[in-house]
Amino acid sequence: MNFDYSSAKEQLDKKVSELREKPFLPEELVNLISNVAAIQLEAQQHSSPTIPTDLAPDDANLQGRPLLAREDFTYDYEQACKLFDKLAELVGKEEGPIAEATAMISVAIKSGDLDLKQAFKAYLETDDDFFMGWAEKMPEAPRTLSFLVQSALTPSIKAVAAALEEKLPHQQADTSERADNEELDFELEQPAPRNHGHCPICGSVPFMHSLHHKQGFRYANCSFCHTEYRVRRMACAYCDNTNADSLKFFTVEEAPGYRVDVCDSCKTYMKTTDFREVDKVSVPALNDLESLPLDFVAVEEGYNRGTLSVWGF
């Protein structure tokens, strides 16, 4: 799958303009995230990680096994190191605790106390203890290292995922009880929904859902490799609950085009983008920021978010 940088950059610029109109988003945060996203886009078109070939068999993948486990993802090490330095320089120009934490990290790298290759490995392996140790050293900005590492690896991870997406086995839609009409023909042109909520590429959970087409086909956005994949409309992404009585959703006036899907079985929530009737640009990683008021309401209602944002916080 070819990466269309020009189109992605145009979408990003439009989305950033929308974010700047949100009074609840600090200008400093929007500036930082938009700059990081722009750097990542530029890097993605030049990323050249080795694409793994030892993948899960088709039948195992359709049963829920990811094509490639997260810890087995390859990455462009040279690019990731350069990106880390570039991002650290950017973040270091901020004010307050995050700049101080970044300075501490830079000193640790120069002294040899922090090995970037080890940090990259820890992120791929979800080694929370590794990052917790560094977080304790910078309590005012505990997620600074994970943010920098994750941001530096994202272009490579997305490049690998895009290549692996072409290897996913085709899944036939069940049409045994459907009439033969134009709507059915259209649905058959779409990828069939996966029977599991996690990502078919890497096995990670999604961080957001989105609804597409007039039928409201539901798609998930992976929190690790950013792959978009179709999922069942009525199922919890985290516990696989399909009981309609315990799957609900709500909206808030401050976030048009968004809703929160909640599961009363595991008490988690997932934000869902529904731009079918609103004129908005969709960039999932930034949609997450734009819909921040929904997170506050969901937490107040007693629900928990199942994963961090793709920015690591």
Side-chain angles (χ1 to χ4, degrees), residues 206-210 219-223 238 258-259 270-273 284-289 291 305 307:
F207 72 98
M208 284 196 80
H209 283 149
S210 57
Y219 285 75
N221 297 104
C222 178
S223 59
Y238 301 119
Y258 294 97
R259 74 183 209 186
M270 175 81 71
K271 294 186 295 184
T272 297
T273 302
L286 300 187
N287 293 345
D288 199 5
L289 285 179
S291 55
R305 180 165 173 149
T307 184

Side-chain angles (χ1 to χ4, degrees), residues 5-280:
Y5 171 77
S6 297
S7 176
K9 184 62 167 63
E10 181 180 359
Q11 290 289 96
L12 174 62
D13 290 343
K14 289 180 179 178
K15 192 65 190 182
V16 170
S17 295
E18 293 179 359
L19 293 185
R20 295 194 187 283
E21 298 176 359
K22 304 301 177 183
F24 54 82
L25 290 177
E27 181 180 0
E28 296 80 3
L29 175 61
V30 175
N31 288 339
L32 175 61
I33 294 301
S34 62
N35 287 332
V36 171
I39 291 171
Q40 290 175 329
L41 276 187
E42 174 68 27
Q44 189 176 345
Q45 64 178 335
H46 303 298
S47 187
S48 55
T50 302
I51 305 302
T53 57
D54 186 13
L55 308 177
D58 288 357
D59 56 346
N61 181 258
L62 292 174
Q63 290 298 317
R65 180 178 168 187
L67 277 185
L68 184 71
R70 169 176 172 154
E71 60 267 23
D72 294 327
F73 262 64
T74 51
Y75 63 95
D76 186 332
Y77 175 71
E78 183 178 351
Q79 182 194 62
C81 289
K82 290 179 179 178
L83 273 179
F84 187 96
D85 291 342
K86 189 172 185 178
L87 293 167
E89 181 180 359
L90 175 69
V91 177
K93 294 178 181 177
E94 298 291 314
E95 296 181 356
I98 191 171
E100 296 170 3
T102 301
M104 182 185 301
I105 290 168
S106 297
V107 170
I109 292 174
K110 290 178 182 178
S111 67
D113 290 338
L114 173 60
D115 178 18
L116 271 185
K117 182 169 285 190
Q118 183 184 8
F120 292 154
K121 183 174 183 289
Y123 174 67
L124 294 176
E125 295 180 351
T126 323
D127 185 352
D128 294 334
D129 290 339
F130 174 86
F131 289 103
M132 184 62 69
W134 284 96
E136 291 173 352
K137 298 177 182 180
M138 46 193 81
E140 297 299 316
R143 303 205 62 85
T144 304
L145 179 59
S146 59
F147 169 72
L148 291 171
V149 168
Q150 182 170 344
S151 298
L153 286 176
T154 290
S156 283
I157 291 170
K158 293 176 75 171
V160 171
L164 295 186
E165 190 172 6
E166 299 177 359
K167 307 294 185 183
L168 284 174
H170 180 70
Q171 185 171 339
Q172 294 287 346
D174 180 10
T175 61
S176 58
E177 298 181 4
R178 296 290 301 276
D180 185 13
N181 53 38
E182 290 185 6
E183 185 171 320
L184 174 59
D185 290 340
F186 175 77
E187 181 165 351
L188 289 176
E189 294 174 0
Q190 312 307 310
R194 303 285 300 191
N195 290 323
H196 307 85
H198 58 259
C199 176
I201 300 288
C202 68
S204 302
V205 295
F207 72 98
M208 284 196 80
H209 283 149
S210 57
L211 302 180
H212 295 288
H213 311 297
K214 67 178 182 180
Q215 296 90 340
F217 296 149
R218 188 188 201 190
Y219 285 75
N221 297 104
C222 178
S223 59
F224 174 71
C225 73
H226 296 253
T227 298
E228 182 178 75
Y229 54 100
R230 190 178 169 193
V231 293
R232 295 165 293 173
R233 182 68 184 265
M234 291 296 292
C236 175
Y238 301 119
C239 72
D240 208 34
N241 170 36
T242 57
N243 182 354
D245 291 337
S246 57
L247 295 172
K248 306 168 185 176
F249 74 90
F250 61 83
T251 61
V252 298
E253 204 171 297
E254 295 87 345
Y258 294 97
R259 74 183 209 186
V260 175
D261 290 286
V262 301
C263 175
D264 283 332
S265 177
C266 65
K267 303 301 289 185
T268 60
Y269 74 91
M270 175 81 71
K271 294 186 295 184
T272 297
T273 302
D274 185 2
F275 291 171
R276 291 174 296 166
E277 296 184 4
V278 294
D279 183 19
K280 295 179 71 68

Side-chain angles (χ1 to χ4, degrees), residues 3 38 163 203 301:
F3 173 59
E301 293 294 323

